Amino acid sequence: RSDFGRGHEIWLRGEITKVYDKGHMYIDVADAGTKDARRPTIGAHVWQSAWNRLKVKVAEQNIQLETGAVVELYGHVDVYAPQGRIGFNVLDIRLIDVEGEHAKRRQDLIARLTQEKVLRANETTFLTPVPLHIGLVASKSTEGFADFTGQFLKSGFSFRITHVQATVQGPQAPHEIARAIEQLDGNCDVIAVVRGGGSKTDLACFDDEVIARAIVTCATPVFTGIGHSNDESVADLVAHTRAITPTELGEKLVSLVREWRQRNVVRVATLLLNYGAAVLEEAEITLGTNRRAVTFAVRDRLRAEDKNLLQTRQRLLAGARRRLDRKSTRLNSSHIPLSRM
């Protein structure tokens, strides 16, 4: 207090690691320019009276108070004696780097992965034609989880989902997500990493190298559905397939199964059905032709037999008449008159 307390205001430079507005603005800042998880961090706060004034300045200067932004905070140290906690009371704010240290680390990570030729490594992993067993890395209490799983419930297919719970924002998220990916690797057809929309601060963990390394070394295809349409994380870049939302990711996976079924079941069944119908139609035509041929042949034969029978009848009648005529003539010529008797 004697060196840095009220009346001894200083500018404190650091990288934002957490920020949240509860009337008062709370900002956790850490040493910038290092990835050490143990780097020094201090909790700063802007009391509501000062925040109401600074909020206007922050908006006018388009300052984004988000994870990864490097800022300078003007104020003084205060101490909460009951807990022995040192804090920093902020009176003014200025942004040092618009993109922030987070953005710089993100670009450095992408450059390293590209140089190592592993940026698209997961894209080359084998994707089964019918991915029905989905490994899900998500937080069950989020809308993203519900939006994603809802697509399978109404799909009509027998999907199986193995869910591994993981925090999807905050400092613990990268390690939990990476562990979940490692746990599911080799035990399912596809691993889906899902997180609904949020601020850049909320989604910052998906730019972490821990997650990127877990994906590029994963032998199972990793699909991501993170944030909204304008969000693109490093996790998206290294994944096998990316969707812009959890809902779209669920639709993509359902479509893979539906399209396979269409090609290999419905189409084949339709071809067989059409072929069978064509064979039956051809057989019916042949049967009709043969039926007509037999009918005409029988009719012609009957007509011929009728004609032959008529001719035979006529010959028999004519023969009979001639014979009767001869017999009658002979009988008449042999007749003895009664007067001679």
Side-chain angles (χ1 to χ4, degrees):
R1 282 175 176 161
S2 61
D3 292 338
F4 303 106
R6 190 182 301 275
H8 301 279
E9 287 77 11
I10 59 172
W11 282 100
L12 178 70
R13 182 181 184 275
E15 177 188 346
I16 297 177
T17 60
K18 185 186 295 185
V19 58
Y20 45 99
D21 187 350
K22 293 185 176 181
H24 306 301
M25 174 62 77
Y26 296 91
I27 307 171
D28 288 355
V29 291
D31 269 353
T34 176
K35 299 176 185 176
D36 190 348
R38 298 169 300 174
R39 57 183 174 168
T41 303
I42 191 169
H45 49 263
V46 189
W47 300 131
Q48 188 170 16
S49 56
W51 178 232
N52 290 336
R53 172 179 54 81
L54 288 177
K55 192 183 299 185
V56 176
K57 174 184 176 180
V58 166
E60 289 176 348
Q61 296 185 13
N62 196 28
I63 297 174
Q64 299 294 325
L65 297 179
E66 60 186 11
T67 300
V70 178
V71 295
E72 282 191 345
L73 307 176
Y74 181 73
H76 59 84
V77 170
D78 60 10
V79 180
Y80 183 61
Q83 295 182 1
R85 187 173 63 218
I86 298 176
F88 192 80
N89 185 19
V90 179
L91 304 174
D92 198 1
I93 300 174
R94 63 189 183 195
L95 195 65
I96 298 302
D97 184 358
V98 175
E99 292 187 353
E101 190 66 22
H102 171 82
K104 182 178 182 301
R105 286 203 306 270
R106 182 181 187 276
Q107 293 304 318
D108 289 344
L109 174 58
I110 294 172
R112 287 198 306 278
L113 295 173
T114 302
Q115 185 177 8
E116 295 170 20
K117 298 181 180 180
V118 296
L119 188 67
R120 305 309 305 166
N122 192 257
E123 190 176 20
T124 64
T125 57
F126 173 73
L127 175 61
T128 180
V130 192
L132 288 172
H133 186 185
I134 311 299
L136 176 57
V137 180
S139 177
K140 193 171 184 179
S141 61
T142 61
E143 290 185 6
F145 178 94
D147 292 341
F148 177 74
T149 56
Q151 304 308 308
F152 304 106
L153 295 175
K154 63 182 182 181
S155 69
F157 298 116
S158 298
F159 282 97
R160 174 188 170 195
I161 298 178
T162 300
H163 173 232
V164 176
Q165 176 70 18
T167 302
V168 290
Q169 72 180 66
Q172 298 304 316
H175 295 282
E176 290 189 19
I177 293 170
R179 281 196 298 268
I181 292 172
E182 292 167 1
Q183 180 178 336
L184 290 167
D185 190 14
N187 298 314
C188 52
D189 298 328
V190 168
I191 298 174
V193 180
V194 169
R195 205 273 189 210
S199 66
K200 290 183 179 180
T201 301
D202 296 334
L203 303 176
C205 64
F206 293 98
D207 289 326
D208 196 283
E209 185 169 0
V210 173
I211 296 178
R213 294 291 179 184
I215 294 175
V216 300
T217 58
C218 187
T220 305
V222 177
F223 284 40
T224 56
I226 301 168
H228 295 304
S229 58
N230 294 327
D231 299 318
E232 184 179 57
S233 65
V234 175
D236 291 324
L237 295 175
V238 298
H240 182 285
T241 300
R242 177 215 174 185
I244 60 176
T245 63
T247 299
E248 187 189 68
L249 181 57
E251 291 172 347
K252 278 181 180 288
L253 288 167
V254 171
S255 292
L256 286 175
V257 176
R258 182 181 293 115
E259 289 168 5
W260 183 92
R261 180 178 180 274
Q262 184 66 32
R263 288 192 307 270
N264 297 278
V265 179
V266 176
R267 181 174 172 272
V268 173
T270 301
L271 288 174
L272 288 173
L273 182 62
N274 292 339
Y275 178 75
V279 170
L280 289 175
E281 184 179 358
E282 183 178 353
E284 187 175 349
I285 292 173
T286 301
L287 180 63
T289 301
N290 293 339
R291 183 187 296 113
R292 287 192 295 272
V294 170
T295 301
F296 292 152
V298 170
R299 186 186 63 186
D300 293 343
R301 181 64 180 270
L302 288 174
R303 286 177 179 176
E305 293 298 329
D306 282 347
K307 184 178 180 180
N308 184 56
L309 185 62
L310 179 60
Q311 291 174 348
T312 301
R313 179 176 177 274
Q314 289 173 346
R315 286 196 304 270
L316 289 173
L317 288 174
R321 287 193 185 98
R322 286 193 299 272
R323 189 166 183 130
L324 287 172
D325 287 343
R326 285 196 301 271
K327 292 293 183 180
S328 179
T329 301
R330 184 180 299 174
L331 183 63
N332 289 334
S333 62
S334 64
H335 179 67
I336 301 175
L338 291 175
S339 59
R340 292 182 182 184
M341 296 178 63

